[in-house]
Amino acid sequence: MPILGVALAPKHRSLLGITIDSFHHTFITMIIRECQKKSIFYLGLALLFFITLVLLQRDHDLLHFPSVRTTNDPVTKSTTGQPRTALPGPKQTVLPEASLKALQNQTLGFEKVYVINLPKRTDKLDAIRLSASVTGFNFDVIAGQNGSDMSPKAMPGPFKNGPMRDSVVGCWRSHMQAAHNIVNNRLSSALIFEDDADRDISFRSQLLNFATGSQWLLNTPSGSTPHSPYGDDWDLLWLGHCALAPIKNDPRRVLFENDPSTTPWIHRFNMGEIPDMTHYDNTTRIMYASDGGTCLYAYALSYRGAQKILFHLSMSYYHRPVDFGIHDMCHDHSRGFRCIGVFPQMVDSHRGAGSSSKDSDISKGKEMDRKKGFSYNIVRSTRLNVGHLILGEEDKIESQWPGEVPELKGPVKVSFREKFGE
């Protein structure tokens, strides 16, 4: 029997008043439309599935940062805060290309840079914004808190009464806000400065060396590329302080020899425990796993580190100055808080020209009029040389201690020590 619409004569090609040709056209159009609807449906479904995978992967990376590693990672897991021990195999001593590239970004290899600044101290904000502009990095501002504005119910413990109480409480909350921002914005890491911080004009090259050292101290396998250019599995990187102790039973050291930015012994000013430097000459800086320190001029937190800070210093019972609390985080290894530090420090505080009453919003010392500013423990201060840097006068860069820092030739030499006495 002939198939309808194929073998029938043209004059008989009709079906219920509709011509067979018209039926074919209508039928095919319906099929095409249905296919189009299904294609759009399946395309949308595929797109939704892809977006879901991306979001899940992002959550996975953040929730596990910085513990996620490559599948060939031979390093054993530790949650004690002590340095992890590596199975046999070489550790990273040369930065991979991806790490080098990340360190050149506008946030110094971190996802964000923050500066803590009291809104009323526009002078300090202007100064650090200008010095950052000549160094080539950007930052966001965290508004510093005034302790007198805080409800006692918002405090994790009874801060001691006294003339400095409001300043101590405000400083504590300002640093908690930095940790809060990291967690709230799901940042993998952030570098945090106080607004009076200063650094050497070679800060970017210092960070390249620091990243090399931190990857080695964190037992990064040779040839691997960690998520952070500073290595994975760190909680805090302490760059600016006024004292920083090493873990006593950890002999590992990273040495930066022939470093012209190293503060001469006679000009090193610290207020707490520091590493034994008698084995090193006047131009050597070292890195190590830290047991705690004082002062928070500059430090970096990972996402996981910020979570731990909020838990122990805001949710849990606490009532002391914030740097004491972070010292305890590094010192109490049961908290699983891994700290990496450097000495002499790469960042310290600046004291500007004019009245010394401007120096601090926490403590008040003897007031004096200062003709020229200075910075603690910084050889070629960015703030003191900002005028030359703006004009491109690199030949006029000044040392704080001219004639006391030797003229060094050649690059900084980076070396690694596994044991005491090496």
Side-chain angles (χ1 to χ4, degrees), residues 233-259:
D233 291 319
W234 56 270
D235 293 297
L236 182 142
L237 306 176
W238 214 324
L239 305 176
H241 51 80
C242 54
L244 194 68
I247 295 176
K248 288 182 171 57
N249 64 353
D250 185 352
R252 299 172 306 150
R253 299 290 185 269
V254 181
L255 277 59
F256 305 123
E257 300 171 282
N258 198 51
D259 185 350

Side-chain angles (χ1 to χ4, degrees), residues 47-75:
L47 183 60
L48 180 62
F49 180 71
F50 174 75
I51 292 172
T52 302
L53 283 178
V54 170
L55 292 175
L56 285 173
Q57 181 62 39
R58 181 174 183 270
D59 286 345
H60 179 274
D61 289 344
L62 285 169
L63 289 172
H64 291 79
F65 178 86
S67 62
V68 178
R69 284 181 170 268
T70 54
T71 54
N72 62 348
D73 181 4
V75 182

